[in-house]
Amino acid sequence: MPVIESPMGLPSLLDLLSSQVVRIALASLFLSGIGALIVDHVRMLRLHKKMPPGPLPLPIIGNTHLLPRNKPWIYFEQLSKELNSPVITFWIGRNPTVWINDAWSASELLDKKAAVFASRPRMVVFAELTGMDQSSDVHAKKPGSNLVTMYYGDRWRVHRKITHLGVGLQQVREYRGFRTTRVVSSLTNYCERPKSIVDPIITEVIAVMQKAAELNVPGKSFPMLFESFPWLTNLSPTLFPWMFQGLGKRRRGQQFFYALAEEAHEKDPNSPCYANQLFDEQPKYGLRTDEISSLAGNLFGAGSDTSSSTLITFVLACCAFPEVLPKAWEELDRVVGHHRSPSWDDKPELVYIKAFVKEVLRWRSVAIIGGQPHAPISDDEWNGYTIPKGTWTQGNVWAIHHNEHEFPDPDRFNPGRFLKESPDARPFPNDKGYMTFGWGRRVCSGQGLAEQGTFITIARLLWGFNIQKALDEQRREIPVDIFNYTDGLNMRPQPFKCRFTPRSAEVRKAIEREGRQALEDLSVYDGESERVAEFFSRNKQEA
């Protein structure tokens, strides 16, 4: 029987069919991708119309390309003015974020609606990539461990309650004696010569805290680009180490604080210190190791970097605006005199000093975007606009504290703004006159402690010293730049030179006399942490 051959061999036919199938599959995949992209962008545009004003988001990238390299809070302030809206929407990748740029809107949303804006949004960089899961349910597969990032819920309430055991308004009054003694000993150092005391352990921990503070400022470079494109977190840190650089240090910091708390508890389990309170509460609430670590570490991290930055800002203000000092000295001389330093009993009469402290907190607030973002626990309405559940909602403290309506000539350091009889005073939605410590149920837990410490330190520095610009070799004053600040979430002045001069011989003698007593009182705290030193030595060997 004759064989009839096809003009095209069977293998060739199969190859052709296979290539056509591949082309069809690729075309279908491409069209599906385009379709999904269109559908997603339509979703973004529909939501964009419902939310407060903002630039039109592009597919996938949103408005990320518009972010400046540095200090985005200034950009959001300007954008708010251009759009003539105190509340604006800015898309970070496919997700909208809301930025509040005036005090009255911040009060309406974050204070008056505190129960609604009580949660946190998903934070890819600050929480997930640094090992802090956000769930507020202790029974969840990965329960949250840190009050700062935790979603609102029962576990958050437990952490807040335990934190108040250490820094609640009633508790911080008991620290006044220690804080006063510590400030006095510092004054002695300035009187002799400014000293640089470097503890390698504390230095590294503060460096970790400063790094963490940089991980919540919107940006278009790594690691903050993860916030715009969360899928990038699926990439391997081994293959792309430059993308994940520095994020692992946060985990070591968590281990450090547990070691520190455990050592303090074991050395003296009966002392009234916060570490013992944590271990006392552990059985009642089933606190895990990582929870004890975060509860201890939050107080250190929130208080160390922020307090020091505030005091450096105070020194900068004294150098840049020396005209505000004589009135402070007049009040201190009248109320206190030169024979002793200010005490807590003097506070009611130190009206100008209290205003001075408030202006420091207002002029260059450390947590320049109000700390960590809020998120509504349900959809909310503002002036006819919708803010969807879970939306990243941030108070722009820079814009709030530099609004010309509340603070005319806002870059001028002027304590008179906080004196009721002053023509510079303006209405403000809260009694304090500033929003440095956040809002609502997420207000900084350590606000009372920070305000207390800032007052006594500034009062005593103003009483003790004339703080001035440094002099060059020709005895000319070296200028200072009031805008030269760091870019992180907790901003501080870049290094500058200054000089401290005791205000009188009598003041100097009082500082030296009180300083000797303070050093004696503080001697009970002398010593080093053996376990923590071993911990850091081990980590360096493993690194």
Side-chain angles (χ1 to χ4, degrees):
M1 183 174 181
V3 177
I4 302 175
E5 294 185 359
S6 167
M8 179 179 294
L10 184 59
S12 298
L13 179 61
L14 292 175
D15 289 343
L16 177 62
L17 291 174
S18 178
S19 63
Q20 288 177 341
V21 169
V22 170
R23 290 192 187 97
I24 292 172
L26 289 175
S28 298
L29 186 62
F30 175 76
L31 292 175
S32 297
I34 293 295
L37 184 64
I38 292 173
V39 170
D40 185 65
H41 193 224
V42 169
R43 173 197 67 86
M44 292 171 65
L45 294 177
R46 285 178 175 172
L47 191 55
H48 174 74
K49 289 184 178 180
K50 296 178 181 179
M51 294 187 69
L56 192 70
L58 298 178
I60 301 178
I61 67 172
N63 305 129
T64 302
H65 62 293
L66 298 177
L67 283 171
R69 290 187 176 274
N70 301 313
K71 299 179 174 61
W73 46 87
I74 297 177
Y75 168 73
F76 292 130
E77 176 191 34
Q78 185 59 37
L79 188 59
S80 174
K81 292 177 180 178
E82 292 174 2
L83 296 171
N84 195 28
S85 175
V87 180
I88 61 172
T89 302
F90 189 90
W91 288 74
I92 303 295
R94 299 170 56 252
N95 299 311
T97 64
V98 169
W99 290 81
I100 307 172
N101 295 280
D102 87 317
W104 304 95
S105 300
S107 179
E108 289 175 15
L109 287 168
L110 304 180
D111 281 331
K112 294 179 181 179
K113 295 183 179 181
V116 176
F117 286 86
S119 197
R120 294 291 192 219
R122 180 190 180 190
M123 291 184 279
V124 175
V125 179
F126 188 78
E128 295 178 12
L129 292 180
T130 55
M132 293 196 301
D133 298 301
Q134 291 186 268
S135 174
S136 60
D137 181 4
V138 71
H139 302 295
K141 186 176 181 180
K142 289 185 177 181
S145 63
N146 199 301
L147 174 72
V148 176
T149 59
M150 199 179 290
Y151 295 132
Y152 185 69
D154 290 339
R155 201 60 180 173
W156 175 87
R157 293 185 185 92
V158 168
H159 276 241
R160 185 77 169 186
K161 180 179 180 179
I162 295 174
T163 299
H164 281 171
L165 293 177
V167 292
L169 292 178
Q170 297 299 324
Q171 184 67 24
V172 298
R173 291 188 176 91
E174 299 183 14
Y175 303 149
R176 285 185 171 183
F178 175 81
R179 294 295 293 268
T180 301
T181 305
R182 187 66 190 88
V183 172
V184 169
S185 68
S186 299
L187 292 184
T188 307
N189 293 337
Y190 284 115
C191 195
E192 294 172 353
R193 77 164 63 97
K195 296 180 180 180
S196 175
I197 302 175
V198 179
D199 184 314
I201 295 176
I202 300 302
T203 299
E204 181 166 345
V205 173
I206 291 178
V208 171
M209 293 299 175
Q210 290 175 341
K211 179 64 179 178
E214 298 171 4
L215 299 181
N216 240 355
V217 179
K220 53 185 177 184
S221 60
F222 289 105
M224 289 312 297
L225 203 57
F226 286 120
E227 212 65 63
S228 295
F229 308 109
W231 58 268
L232 288 173
T233 61
N234 296 321
L235 299 177
S236 171
T238 304
L239 295 177
F240 303 94
W242 56 276
M243 294 171 63
F244 296 84
Q245 188 175 8
L247 295 173
K249 289 185 177 181
R250 184 70 170 277
R251 294 182 176 87
R252 294 205 301 272
Q254 293 169 356
Q255 297 164 355
F256 162 79
F257 287 115
Y258 181 80
L260 192 66
E262 186 179 43
E263 183 180 32
H265 176 60
E266 290 178 353
K267 282 187 174 180
D268 189 358
N270 297 316
S271 69
C273 73
Y274 186 57
N276 284 337
Q277 290 178 309
L278 293 178
F279 284 97
D280 289 344
E281 299 294 324
Q282 183 180 26
K284 180 178 179 181
Y285 296 108
L287 295 176
R288 306 184 309 276
T289 297
D290 56 346
E291 290 183 285
I292 291 176
S293 175
S294 70
L295 286 163
N298 285 346
L299 299 192
F300 183 93
S304 57
D305 186 30
T306 53
S307 296
S308 62
S309 298
T310 299
L311 294 177
I312 296 171
T313 282
F314 155 73
V315 173
L316 178 64
C318 291
C319 292
F321 300 91
E323 66 275 10
V324 302
L325 297 177
K327 191 170 182 178
W329 294 332
E330 183 278 326
E331 182 176 78
L332 287 163
D333 291 346
R334 174 169 42 83
V335 175
V336 180
H338 286 205
H339 63 289
R340 65 171 179 86
S341 61
S343 69
W344 295 107
D345 294 336
D346 299 317
K347 187 176 180 180
E349 296 183 69
L350 296 177
V351 178
Y352 187 76
I353 303 302
K354 288 188 287 188
F356 202 110
V357 172
K358 287 187 173 185
E359 179 68 342
V360 170
L361 295 172
R362 191 280 315 173
W363 182 62
R364 295 288 187 268
S365 303
V366 175
I368 201 60
I369 51 176
Q372 308 304 321
H374 293 237
I377 60 175
S378 60
D379 291 355
D380 189 65
E381 298 292 322
W382 175 82
N383 281 8
Y385 296 107
T386 297
I387 301 177
K389 175 183 177 180
T391 299
W392 184 302
T393 306
Q394 196 94 44
N396 187 351
V397 175
W398 172 268
I400 290 169
H401 286 173
H402 285 74
N403 192 308
E404 292 277 356
H405 292 97
E406 285 75 49
F407 307 105
D409 195 7
D411 288 311
R412 182 168 64 93
F413 187 87
N414 176 18
R417 304 179 197 277
F418 294 96
L419 298 174
K420 292 181 179 180
E421 70 279 6
S422 171
D424 297 322
R426 296 289 188 278
F428 201 77
N430 66 34
D431 294 336
K432 291 184 179 294
Y434 55 81
M435 294 181 166
T436 308
F437 296 94
W439 304 267
R441 298 185 182 180
R442 291 286 183 166
V443 69
C444 175
S445 300
Q447 177 175 352
L449 185 64
E451 290 174 330
Q452 174 178 285
T454 302
F455 167 77
I456 197 65
T457 305
I458 287 179
R460 293 194 167 201
L461 285 171
L462 287 171
W463 166 82
F465 300 98
N466 183 6
I467 303 172
Q468 301 167 282
K469 299 183 183 76
L471 302 177
D472 62 18
E473 294 179 354
Q474 285 75 42
R475 305 292 297 172
R476 294 174 301 193
E477 288 188 336
I478 301 174
V480 294
D481 185 351
I482 64 173
F483 297 100
N484 190 19
Y485 271 71
T486 59
D487 297 320
L489 175 70
N490 291 339
M491 72 171 196
R492 66 164 59 202
Q494 297 286 5
F496 64 95
K497 294 183 177 181
C498 62
R499 52 192 167 122
F500 284 68
T501 308
R503 290 182 52 227
S504 71
E506 190 176 5
V507 163
R508 185 185 185 101
K509 289 180 181 178
I511 292 174
E512 292 172 345
R513 182 183 67 254
E514 293 181 1
R516 287 191 294 270
Q517 182 62 51
L519 291 174
E520 182 179 337
D521 294 340
L522 292 171
S523 64
V524 296
Y525 301 104
D526 289 346
E528 296 182 356
S529 169
E530 297 176 2
R531 183 174 304 178
V532 172
E534 293 174 0
F535 168 82
F536 271 93
S537 176
R538 184 173 63 253
N539 272 273
K540 287 182 179 179
Q541 292 175 0
E542 295 173 355

